[in-house]
Amino acid sequence: MRSAVVHHDARRAGYPNEPFFTGHACAHSSILKAMIRSLLRRVFSRGSAKPKVISFSSHGISREGISPCARRVVEALQSNGYKAFVVGGAVRDLLLGKQPNDFDLATDAHPEQVRSAFRRSRIIGRRFRLVHCMCGSETIEVATYRRGHDPEQPSEGKDESHTDEHGRLLRDNVYGTQPDDAARRDFTINALFYDPSTQEIIDYHNGVADLKKKRLRMIGDPAVRYREDPVRMLRAVRFAASYGLEIEKATLAPIRPFASLLANVPPARLFDEMLKLLLSGHATQCVMRLRREGLHHGLLPLLDVILEQPLGERFVMLALNNTDVRVLEGKPVSPGFLFAALLWHEVLATSKKLRDGGMAAMPALFLAMDQVLDTQTAQLAIPRRFTTDMKDLWALQHRLENRTGKRPFRVLEHPRFRAAYDFLQLRCDSGELEAELGDWWRRFQQATPTERETMLLRDSEPKRSRRRRKRPAESGSASAVQADASM
Ligand code: ATP
Ligand code: MG
């Protein structure tokens, strides 16, 4: 009788496969421990059903900080009797005193109900339906509360497996309550709901306190959450590096051993996340952190090789640093330029191997470009519009090294000349080429047509550009203008 009660409780505590209670004291205590562990984990992962409600007087975020369009959509939903909140990154950014990139809303209204509450809107997505609400050129994304997969609950349908064999989440399209919606989010600081009408923050997981303490903490069991979605590891690194947060011990611990899980993430998703990271304005910090956590293997499989070569490392760091400066100054940056820089030393090494095998310089360069891109895009789906830019940039490098005859005039006319020149300058700054070549091109651009004729090298003149002999100038030179927005 007693055993039956314990067994029943063990099931309720989320241990459906717990062996029957044997009556043995040791088994009894281990079941009890398991129940307590399970209970604690559930409380931890679900957060409190009663959230903290933080008033304007303690957080200081006024509704004026919310975009007018987001406020209009919230008002429309609330006046139709629904709950509606600004959620996620926007609340986090406002608390950090940063301007949010965008404002996402969470509501208890279903997509059709959102549609009828706010007419200028459309439903998007098939698997999980979201609503885009439009005011002029601004679009606000509205999502109905969802609940994540509870790993301790068996899946409902026969074939409805929620995760793949690595634990990666395949479905998360089940509607839920507000606490469910908070619990399915990744980090505590990303699970805050802000109501513009009351100016209150609803906080189920102590996200506001974590943000104050500069602490990044995963909601729930970090190992399970990374298995569900390995991209969360990249997000952890990005948020920590971008906002100067410390990754809490338990949140950090699984990252290194789980790095290989990134191989199961669809390449297009990995690219999107990588792009966010590189364009965060803190790319240098992020890449250093990725390397520290052993995550860069999964992203750009050859990046670790590059980062171990002094010239490659210097080049990549200069490119990242220039990108960060531009992003923080609000200037446009070109992903094609950045990826071309990240992979340049790999192209160089591959083409050298081909030349050593007897291939001529140009065919070797072109074959190397294809080989490097093939290897990389298997893991990271770099869109074609970027790979086209990258190839242009790489191919133009060869042409910029030739300063004889009509060639420099033709290169100057090339639509990608400016970006290619910035790239060349970066190569000079990193010490791969002598500064003289970059200087020559700077002067050549500024020169009159007659001066240009006198600057040309004769065919027989030795190419002095290859390999530096003296220490290059420190960063901050002309290459800071690198990512020509036209790329
Ligand atoms: P940013 O837009 O600055 O990159 P963000 O936190 O807003 O940061 P988004 O990708 O816009 O990131 O996601 C919006 C919200 O959705 C997040 O704040 C988080 O609550 C949730 N979210 C995003 N990605 C995940 C994920 N992989 N796992 C769980 N929740 C996620
Ligand atoms: Mg966002």
Side-chain angles (χ1 to χ4, degrees):
M1 188 62 219
R2 199 173 146 73
S3 69
V5 171
V6 173
H7 175 63
H8 176 69
D9 279 351
R11 270 180 181 277
R12 280 220 318 221
Y15 281 80
N17 300 322
E18 199 69 40
F20 278 96
F21 179 63
T22 59
H24 192 276
C26 180
H28 189 179
S29 85
S30 76
I31 289 176
L32 252 175
K33 271 191 208 150
M35 284 166 61
I36 292 167
R37 258 206 318 272
S38 166
L39 194 74
L40 284 176
R41 205 160 52 224
R42 279 167 162 260
V43 169
F44 188 48
S45 74
R46 292 235 168 276
S48 160
K50 259 213 163 144
K52 286 206 171 83
V53 178
I54 302 166
S55 65
F56 171 73
S57 60
S58 54
H59 62 65
I61 295 171
S62 95
R63 60 178 74 85
E64 273 70 50
I66 308 298
S67 86
C69 187
R71 266 152 61 193
R72 272 178 55 197
V73 179
V74 168
E75 275 159 28
L77 287 165
Q78 289 180 342
S79 63
N80 277 273
Y82 302 111
K83 302 255 188 293
F85 297 86
V86 177
V87 68
V91 187
R92 175 200 67 219
D93 288 349
L94 288 168
L95 283 169
L96 287 165
K98 295 183 192 299
Q99 179 58 34
N101 298 332
D102 45 29
F103 290 87
D104 296 331
L105 301 185
T107 178
D108 60 352
H110 284 201
E112 293 74 15
Q113 296 169 323
V114 177
R115 273 278 292 129
S116 46
F118 195 88
R119 301 308 303 188
R120 265 187 61 81
S121 61
R122 61 195 163 88
I123 297 178
I124 60 148
R126 256 187 300 165
R127 198 175 66 91
F128 189 80
R129 297 185 313 145
L130 300 165
V131 186
H132 276 178
C133 294
M134 279 86 65
C135 331
S137 61
E138 197 183 348
T139 299
I140 299 293
E141 196 165 279
V142 185
T144 306
Y145 294 147
R146 261 188 280 174
R147 82 179 145 87
H149 164 56
D150 183 345
E152 293 185 357
Q153 292 296 321
S155 30
E156 294 129 25
K158 267 186 287 174
D159 308 320
E160 302 249 310
S161 175
H162 289 274
T163 53
D164 69 8
E165 73 273 26
H166 307 286
R168 190 166 69 85
L169 201 57
L170 301 173
R171 301 175 54 229
D172 63 345
N173 52 355
V174 183
Y175 293 138
T177 61
Q178 190 182 47
D180 289 336
D181 196 69
R184 74 157 179 99
R185 293 173 186 275
D186 46 8
F187 303 102
T188 62
I189 60 167
N190 286 345
L192 301 168
F193 298 83
Y194 176 81
D195 183 341
S197 50
T198 61
Q199 303 193 116
E200 285 170 342
I201 290 178
I202 316 283
D203 182 2
Y204 289 87
H205 297 277
N206 277 325
V208 173
D210 282 343
L211 211 49
K212 264 197 195 128
K213 288 186 185 147
K214 293 269 177 189
R215 182 169 65 187
L216 188 71
R217 191 161 57 88
M218 178 70 86
I219 296 171
D221 180 341
V224 173
R225 306 299 313 278
Y226 290 134
R227 277 192 192 284
E228 282 176 357
D229 183 4
V231 160
R232 290 172 184 151
M233 298 190 279
L234 296 180
R235 289 174 59 86
V237 167
R238 172 161 66 94
F239 293 131
S242 304
Y243 303 129
L245 308 178
E246 193 186 328
I247 307 179
E248 178 239 15
K249 219 166 140 203
T251 301
L252 181 68
I255 293 185
R256 193 172 269 269
F258 281 9
S260 62
L261 290 180
L262 283 171
N264 308 318
V265 176
R269 174 120 198 274
L270 214 48
F271 177 81
D272 287 347
E273 200 54 43
M274 186 66 181
L275 199 58
K276 274 194 168 190
L277 186 146
L278 291 172
L279 303 184
S280 66
H282 304 273
T284 314
Q285 285 299 321
C286 285
V287 166
M288 277 158 54
R289 194 84 194 232
L290 284 179
R291 182 151 61 147
R292 204 164 90 200
E293 306 311 338
L295 280 177
H296 57 296
H297 299 279
L299 291 169
L300 290 164
L302 303 165
L303 198 57
D304 46 337
V305 180
I306 298 160
L307 292 176
E308 272 152 28
Q309 302 165 1
L311 280 184
E313 163 145 20
R314 191 170 157 76
F315 182 79
V316 163
M317 288 301 167
L318 276 177
L320 292 174
N321 194 41
N322 289 345
T323 305
D324 286 345
V325 170
R326 287 185 67 92
V327 171
L328 296 176
E329 284 175 351
K331 293 182 184 160
V333 291
S334 144
F337 187 101
L338 190 53
F339 278 97
L342 290 178
L343 296 174
W344 171 241
H345 278 262
E346 203 46 41
V347 172
L348 279 185
T350 311
S351 77
K352 180 172 182 311
K353 249 184 236 155
L354 294 168
R355 277 185 280 116
D356 289 349
M359 197 178 273
M362 274 318 259
L365 177 65
F366 279 92
L367 186 57
M369 288 175 0
D370 286 339
Q371 285 182 356
V372 167
L373 283 175
D374 282 351
T375 316
Q376 295 299 326
T377 48
Q379 184 99 50
L380 199 70
I382 307 174
R384 188 178 288 276
R385 64 183 187 283
F386 297 147
T387 56
T388 309
D389 289 347
M390 292 162 73
K391 284 186 179 181
D392 275 354
L393 262 177
W394 289 336
L396 280 165
Q397 295 310 299
H398 190 77
R399 294 175 61 186
L400 285 170
E401 287 179 48
N402 193 329
R403 291 175 275 167
T404 59
K406 289 272 165 253
R407 293 182 189 99
F409 294 97
R410 283 203 293 267
V411 180
L412 207 54
E413 297 304 310
H414 195 285
R416 298 268 188 260
F417 168 79
R418 182 66 205 185
Y421 163 71
D422 287 343
F423 197 91
L424 180 90
Q425 192 59 59
L426 206 57
R427 294 173 64 201
C428 296
D429 290 347
S430 71
E432 182 206 335
L433 299 177
E434 281 198 17
E436 184 270 331
L437 182 61
D439 275 355
W440 188 91
W441 274 106
R442 184 184 44 76
R443 286 186 287 110
F444 192 73
Q445 289 173 74
Q446 293 162 352
T448 63
T450 16
E451 283 167 345
R452 281 179 183 163
E453 292 293 343
T454 64
M455 288 176 70
L456 297 173
L457 304 190
R458 281 189 301 278
D459 265 334
S460 56
E461 269 187 67
K463 284 187 186 132
R464 291 180 296 152
S465 60
R466 275 261 159 234
R467 296 289 162 223
R468 74 186 175 108
R469 261 168 255 132
K470 60 179 192 288
R471 185 125 190 95
E474 283 306 309
S475 62
S477 66
S479 63
V481 291
Q482 52 113 337
D484 182 342
S486 67
M487 279 290 299

